[in-house]
Each structure stands twice: as C-alpha cells, then as structure tokens.
C-alpha cells in the first residue's frame, strides 16, 4: 500500500503530503462519507512518519472494538468512546516512543466521544506532545465539538465516481460480474461495496428494494409484516436494525440520484433514524416508526 493506492481522493492525499513535509504536530481531521478511504489514508501517513510496513507498536488505532478489547467487554456494550480510553491514550502519548520517532493516535469514529472524553482530547489537541501525530476520523464532522474541529486541519473526502468505484473493486478482487450492481448499490463507497459483496448483503438490499417499492401501497400493519414484523420470538438487535436501515438507504438514495425529488424526504428520514439509533432509542421502535413515516412520504 502507498499513497498511490488511495483512489479518488487527490485533494486529501495532497494535503497529507504537505503535512508530512512540514513534520508538524498539528492534528488532522479526516471526514467524509463512510467507506471511502479515511482510515486507510491515516494509516498510510502513519507508515510514512515511522517508515514501516504493517503493524507498528507506536501506532494505535482506537475505536469501539479497541475499547472493547482493552476493557474485556463485548463490542455490543460499546456505544461511545469513554473518558477512560482517551485518558489511557494521553498517558501513552506523553511517554517516549518505543520503536519509531513518532507516536501516532488514529481515533476512529471520533463523533462517538462522550463529552468528558472530548474535553480530555481537546487538551491533547491544544498542546500535542512532541513527535506526536493525532488523526481524527469520522463521517460526521458536524457532531464533533466546534472547539475540537477548530484545533484540527480538515481533510475532506468525497464519494467516488462510478469509474473510480470500478477501479477499487478490481483492486479488491471482487468478481467482475457483480461490479455494476455493487457500484449502483454502494453510492460511491468502496467500503460499502465490499460489505455488500457478500451474498447475504446483496439479498438484504434486494429485500429493501421490494420494501421500497411497496411503500405507500400497503396498510401500516401489512407494511410492518412485510418488513419482518415484530413478535416475541423475533427481536433483532441494534446491529441488525442498523443494517436493515442501511439497506433501505440504497434504493432511496438511488431514486434521489435518478432525479426523483419525492425521495428527498425519505432519505432525510432514514438519516434521522440513524441519529436516533446513536441516541440509544430502542432500535425496533426506530425501525417501525421509520417505515410508517416513509410510507406516508411515498404516498
């Protein structure tokens, strides 16, 4: 991997090259759509700083999975990045580097910081220790504290074009016969395309397509039944509900891109549902309410 491997993000790559030339401790904020190379580029910058390929003990990628492993908890229990996690990283950053000249913290899903954790991070950003690189990664720049954003150099990412998507799928060795379908479904996100390339995900999107077509045509009770229903024996968890909503976003966003202005409000409603999930609203209620709202908007 190298900077040349980052497809479709020349502006972001150029900013990172300039940052490396300056060898500054000014934090970088990688933001933009999910699955378009933000964390990948952050890792490439970390490699360039310490001159390595692969794992390096002075580079930490901190996210909910890291936090779960450190706390010996399940991933399902991790809703936010906690103050204890950021405090531990601050202690590490204040120590001398182990094997390289730079200590690197890549904070993924930075929008999940609790207010207390964000305040601790802000202190680090205001006075970064010597030879320390801090990279924040998030698809939701607007959910970060304004004070945190102001301390970082923004590095914006964009959705990829269809041609760029084909390049990525070739590099990821995804079977050629599904390239066109995945490019249409993934909405400019190679990461989403790779996720959708699994057979069960393709089927989930097909089901979402059928559901989208039925919106506004079925009664509320029939709609909920067609969408999977809710019963004592069927209680999907938060991850499953989030996946169902993600799948529903595919036909909605596709319709909007095709010029169907009636899809504008449904896309906003789906985005609002994601926000409700992040606020710990009961997932099944979020999904049911979303379906009923979409049905009204599609009439």
């Amino acid at each position: 991997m190298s900077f040349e491997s980052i497809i479709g993000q020349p502006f972001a790559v150029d900013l990172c090259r300039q940052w490396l030339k300056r060898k500054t401790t000014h934090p970088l904020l990688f933001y933009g759509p999910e699955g378009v190379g933000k964390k990948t580029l952050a890792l490439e910058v970390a490699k360039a700083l310490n001159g390595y390929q692969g794992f390096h003990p002075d580079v930490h990628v901190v996210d909910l999975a890291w936090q779960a492993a450190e706390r010996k908890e399940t991933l399902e229990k991790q809703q936010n990045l906690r103050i204890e996690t950021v405090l531990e990283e601050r202690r590490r950053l204040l120590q001398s580097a182990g094997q390289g000249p730079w200590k690197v913290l890549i904070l993924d899903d930075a929008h999940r910081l609790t207010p207390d954790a964000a305040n601790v991070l802000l202190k680090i950003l205001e006075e970064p220790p010597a030879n320390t690189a801090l990279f924040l990664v998030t698809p939701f720049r607007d959910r970060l504290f304004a004070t945190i954003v102001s301390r970082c150099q923004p590095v914006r990412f964009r959705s990829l074009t269809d041609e760029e998507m084909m390049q990525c799928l070739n590099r990821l060795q995804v079977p050629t016969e599904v390239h066109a379908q995945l490019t249409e479904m993934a909405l400019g996100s190679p990461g989403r395309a790779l996720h959708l390339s699994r057979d069960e995900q393709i089927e989930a999107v097909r089901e979402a397509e059928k559901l989208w077509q039925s919106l506004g045509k079925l009664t509320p009770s029939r709609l909920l039944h067609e969408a999977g229903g809710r019963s004592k024996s069927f209680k999907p968890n938060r991850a499953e509900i989030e996946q169902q909503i993600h799948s529903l976003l595919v036909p909605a966003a596709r319709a909007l891109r095709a010029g169907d202005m009636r899809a504008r409000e449904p896309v906003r409603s789906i985005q609002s549902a994601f926000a409700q999930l992040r606020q710990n609203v009961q997932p099944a209620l979020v999904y049911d309410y979303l379906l009923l709202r979409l049905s009204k908007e599609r009439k």
Side-chain angles (χ1 to χ4, degrees), residues 179-204:
H179 280 195
Q181 181 183 18
L182 290 176
T183 296
E184 184 181 15
M185 293 192 304
L187 307 175
S189 168
R192 186 181 294 123
L194 191 60
H195 179 68
L196 290 171
S197 66
R198 298 181 303 192
D199 290 343
E200 64 271 22
Q201 298 304 326
I202 291 178
E203 181 59 31

Side-chain angles (χ1 to χ4, degrees), residues 37-142:
K38 298 185 296 297
K39 186 165 67 172
T40 300
L41 181 54
L43 286 167
E44 290 302 322
V45 177
K47 291 178 183 179
L49 278 174
N50 281 332
Y52 75 98
Q53 295 295 324
F55 173 78
H56 194 284
D58 289 320
V59 177
H60 280 195
V61 180
V62 175
D63 54 15
L64 295 182
W66 168 281
Q67 180 173 269
E70 289 291 296
R71 299 179 66 85
K72 296 180 173 59
E73 297 175 349
T74 63
L75 182 57
E76 289 71 23
K77 288 187 64 175
Q78 315 307 311
Q79 300 298 325
N80 297 293
L81 290 168
R82 307 176 196 173
I83 186 172
E84 296 86 357
T85 298
V86 180
L87 285 171
E88 181 59 34
E89 281 303 302
R90 183 175 70 173
R91 284 190 285 270
R92 181 183 71 87
L93 294 173
L94 290 172
Q95 298 171 357
S96 299
Q99 298 182 19
W102 286 79
K103 301 181 296 295
V104 181
L105 168 61
I106 300 174
L107 189 65
D108 199 7
D109 283 337
H111 59 282
R112 293 186 179 272
L113 289 162
T114 65
D116 287 344
N119 284 326
V120 172
L121 177 65
L122 179 59
K123 294 177 182 177
I124 304 173
L125 298 176
E126 289 173 338
E127 297 183 21
N131 290 355
T132 294
L134 302 167
F135 305 146
L136 277 61
V137 180
T138 179
F140 306 112
R141 174 184 175 181
D142 58 329

